[in-house]
Amino acid sequence: MPQPTRNLVYGLCFMIAVMVFGVVGYLSAGWNLSDSIYMVVISIFTVGYGEVRPIEAEGLRDLTMAIIVLGCFSVIFVSGALVQFLLAGQILRALGDRRMSAELKKLNKHVIICGYGRIGRMVAADLKAGQRPFVIIDKDERRLETAREEGYLTLEGEATRESVLIEAGIAKASVLATVLPSDASNVFITLSARDLNPELRIISRGEDPATERKLIQAGATRVVLPAHIGAERVSHLILFPEAEQLIDDSEKSHHLREDLVDLGLQMEESIVPKYSRFVGKTVADLESHEDGGMIVVALHRKDGGTELRPGREVVLNAGDGVVTVSRGSNLCLLLEKERE
């Protein structure tokens, strides 16, 4: 229990104990319950209306003086504890805001996450595991409270407002990830962020595939379509169940993709359409088409089975899944080209 709450509880308990002590004392002297309670209340709070009954007995005078002294002390204690209880939250919040502001000013080459929903939580967890500095922007206080409990740096506000992005240190940030469920908000944030920092790498979430073009035009470096990725994942598991072990090793896959990005490379996977010009062609034909800029690292056969590092003489069939490592190539567009 926090100290302010504990003090308030102790003070109230002491005040109640004094009142019970006084009422019992007056009842023992032959007073009725109503007069006893009334006398105790006006004594504790020093109202001074006068005695409801003459206090002539020596014991009653001692009892009344004791109630006045102890009652005044309890009222002072409770009043102080109540003020402390009411102000403690505001003081702690103010100190927390100051600490957050100081931490934000220290950030450099950090990541800004706009939105702490389902996707934002996963991004934050991965960045924390990768020891990458980041700050979370969200307008929902409950979500931010959850983020603070995880030890994350947070900023409350609308990410669509430039002032909030500036406070998050967008001028010194290296990456901004806007993962709000609203495409309109993501487009607006992308526009504002690109205007505030032309060198910023912006990763935007899109719900509607038609929004991808708008996000790119707004300045997004990359656009992620969660629904599209999920659908591809499901279809891949249906088409290539034997490849599940290969693609499910998430930790190795995560580190591999990070290493490839550091080298300026990317891993892609696509299915060979039945009308593709590469049906019946070899792996060497596909790799040579990009002048050595593409390497086939795995081949998921339509009829089952996965070939890792297939030979250059291996033939591609319609429905096969091709996994490549390349530098800026677009495997999907390449395989989509029809036979001449």
Side-chain angles (χ1 to χ4, degrees):
M1 184 185 297
Q3 187 65 33
T5 305
R6 188 184 301 114
N7 290 341
L8 183 59
V9 171
Y10 288 166
L12 290 173
C13 290
F14 180 70
M15 179 183 289
I16 293 173
V18 173
M19 295 179 70
V20 171
F21 168 73
V23 170
V24 171
Y26 287 121
L27 288 174
S28 301
W31 291 29
N32 60 46
L33 181 61
S34 177
D35 288 346
S36 299
I37 295 176
Y38 183 77
M39 187 63 184
V40 168
V41 171
I42 65 174
S43 298
I44 288 179
F45 292 97
T46 63
V47 177
Y49 283 146
E51 301 167 355
V52 293
R53 290 190 184 186
I55 301 178
E56 298 175 350
E58 189 68 25
L60 284 181
R61 288 187 177 182
D62 295 339
L63 174 64
T64 303
M65 288 189 294
I67 293 173
I68 293 173
V69 173
L70 296 176
C72 288
F73 177 77
S74 66
V75 169
I76 294 172
F77 188 87
V78 169
S79 299
L82 183 60
V83 172
Q84 184 185 25
F85 177 79
L86 295 176
L87 295 181
Q90 298 181 10
I91 293 174
L92 289 175
R93 183 170 182 177
L95 292 175
D97 291 343
R98 288 187 62 183
R99 183 183 64 83
M100 288 290 182
S101 298
E103 300 247 352
L104 287 173
K105 292 178 181 179
K106 295 178 183 178
L107 289 177
N108 188 35
K109 300 297 181 182
H110 58 288
V111 179
I112 299 175
I113 303 175
C114 300
Y116 192 65
R118 177 172 49 88
I119 295 179
R121 286 194 294 270
M122 291 187 287
V123 173
D126 287 342
L127 291 179
K128 182 181 180 181
Q131 298 182 342
R132 186 72 181 271
F134 63 92
V135 57
I136 299 169
I137 301 177
D138 201 295
K139 64 179 181 180
D140 192 324
E141 175 60 29
R142 291 176 298 177
R143 290 182 178 178
L144 293 182
E145 185 63 32
T146 302
R148 294 188 195 104
E149 291 175 358
E150 296 291 336
Y152 302 153
L153 188 61
T154 63
L155 179 61
E156 184 177 0
E158 289 277 0
T160 53
R161 296 174 57 185
E162 290 189 357
S163 60
V164 175
L165 294 176
I166 292 173
E167 188 177 355
I170 193 170
K172 298 186 295 181
S174 60
V175 182
L176 180 140
T178 173
V179 290
L180 296 173
S182 169
D183 286 350
S185 297
N186 290 330
V187 170
F188 194 87
I189 293 171
T190 301
L191 280 169
S192 300
R194 179 58 66 205
D195 181 60
L196 293 170
N197 187 346
E199 303 299 324
L200 186 67
R201 185 165 177 246
I202 303 175
I203 301 174
S204 300
R205 169 189 176 182
E207 291 298 319
D208 187 350
T211 312
E212 182 175 6
R213 180 177 58 85
K214 297 178 182 178
L215 287 166
I216 295 295
Q217 291 176 344
T221 309
R222 293 291 298 271
V223 177
V224 178
L225 303 172
H228 181 68
I229 294 174
E232 282 189 341
R233 167 73 166 149
V234 172
S235 61
H236 184 93
L237 291 176
I238 295 173
L239 294 171
F240 310 111
E242 290 78 7
E244 182 176 358
Q245 183 177 359
L246 177 66
I247 63 178
D248 270 354
D249 195 345
S250 57
E251 184 176 356
K252 292 182 179 179
S253 175
H254 176 73
H255 291 303
L256 174 61
R257 291 181 184 275
E258 283 188 344
D259 293 340
L260 290 175
V261 170
D262 292 338
L263 296 172
L265 302 174
Q266 62 182 7
M267 179 181 289
E268 296 181 277
E269 181 174 359
S270 186
I271 298 174
V272 181
K274 62 180 180 180
Y275 55 79
S276 174
R277 61 187 298 184
F278 290 99
V279 173
K281 302 290 185 179
T282 64
V283 169
D285 293 329
L286 179 60
E287 293 179 342
S288 63
H289 190 82
E290 291 294 313
D291 298 325
M294 175 185 293
I295 300 176
V296 177
V297 296
L299 191 63
H300 305 318
R301 290 300 189 179
K302 178 182 179 181
D303 54 357
T306 299
E307 298 181 30
L308 298 177
R309 297 185 295 278
R312 292 175 57 83
E313 72 284 353
V314 173
V315 177
L316 303 176
N317 300 317
D320 289 344
V322 182
V323 182
T324 64
V325 173
S326 63
R327 188 184 298 273
S329 300
N330 193 319
L331 176 63
C332 183
L333 291 179
L334 186 60
L335 294 178
E336 286 286 336
K337 290 184 179 180
E338 300 182 9
R339 300 190 184 99
E340 296 178 353

